[in-house]
Amino acid sequence: MVEKCSFSVGNLIDNKYNVVKHLGEGSFGLVYLVEDSRGKKYALKMLKFWEVPPQIREKLEQRFEMEYQTGLIDSPYLVRSHGRGRVSGNPYILMEFCPKGDLNKASNLSDFNLTSRQVLLGLKALHNNGKVHRDLKPENVLVKEDRSRSEERFSRNAETD
C-alpha cells in the first residue's frame, strides 16, 4: 500500500531522520536535508510513488536501486549512499549531503581545470564499475564544503546504466 508522504521541518522520516529542510522536488521524487540522532546531516531522496501509476513503479524502483548501488562505489568523486528504506510504501535513499549544491549554484569555483578533472575522475569511477551517466549537466555535479579535500562530487542523480 502506498500513501502520500509530506514532511515538514522537525518531522521524523522512518522514525530515524529529523527533517531540517526541504531541498527540492523533481518529477518522481522529493529531497530533504535530514539529520540522524547524532546530528549527522544527509540528503534523503524519496520517490513519490503516490503520484506514479502502479504499472511503472517496478521499473522506477529498479532505476532507484541502481542509483543506490552506484552510490556504494568507493570514489571521492561520487556522492555516497549511506542507507535506504521505505516510508508508507515510498522508497528512499540516504545520501551524502553536499552543502554547496550543484555547479549552477556554487560560487567561487574559479579553478576550471580542477573542477573538470574531478568531474572526469567521477566519470572514470563510474565507467570502471560498468556504469554510464546519461545526463551530465551542471545540476548533476554536486559540490562539498571543503574544496581542498576533493569536495566536488559527481552526482548520480540521473539515470545510470
Side-chain angles (χ1 to χ4, degrees), residues 12 48 103:
L12 277 180
K48 299 185 292 187
L103 278 184

Side-chain angles (χ1 to χ4, degrees), residues 23 31-33 41-45 93-97:
L23 294 175
V31 182
Y32 297 98
L33 172 61
K41 289 186 167 58
Y42 300 95
L44 187 145
K45 184 175 182 178
I93 298 173
L94 191 67
M95 307 180 320
E96 175 180 7
F97 173 57

Side-chain angles (χ1 to χ4, degrees), residues 6 16 18 28-29 37 47 51 76 83 88 91 122 129 147 149 154:
S6 180
K16 299 177 196 172
N18 183 47
F28 297 113
S37 60
L47 288 181
E51 292 186 1
S88 299
N129 286 274
R147 284 187 58 80
R149 291 191 337 214
F154 187 70

Side-chain angles (χ1 to χ4, degrees), residues 114-126:
L114 175 63
T115 300
S116 299
R117 178 173 163 32
Q118 291 174 339
V119 169
L120 290 170
L121 287 168
L123 286 170
K124 180 180 179 184
L126 287 174

Side-chain angles (χ1 to χ4, degrees), residues 79 95-96 98 100-103 138-144 151-155 157:
V79 175
M95 307 180 320
E96 175 180 7
C98 299
K100 292 199 173 187
D102 63 42
L103 278 184
E139 302 90 89
N140 289 339
V141 177
L142 300 180
V143 181
K144 281 183 56 179
E151 90 298 353
E152 222 151 273
R153 304 291 177 113
F154 187 70
S155 168
N157 284 343

Side-chain angles (χ1 to χ4, degrees), residues 49-107:
F49 265 14
W50 66 88
E51 292 186 1
V52 177
Q55 63 270 22
I56 67 167
R57 288 181 187 157
E58 184 177 344
K59 185 170 182 157
L60 186 59
E61 190 160 9
Q62 287 171 353
R63 286 180 27 210
F64 202 58
E65 174 64 18
M66 193 180 331
E67 181 175 344
Y68 171 77
Q69 293 297 326
T70 300
L72 296 177
I73 295 171
D74 186 21
S75 170
Y77 305 103
L78 299 175
V79 175
R80 189 90 181 131
S81 292
H82 289 280
R84 61 185 164 185
R86 193 175 285 276
V87 174
S88 299
N90 301 285
Y92 69 82
I93 298 173
L94 191 67
M95 307 180 320
E96 175 180 7
F97 173 57
C98 299
K100 292 199 173 187
D102 63 42
L103 278 184
N104 278 338
K105 297 175 187 152
S107 59

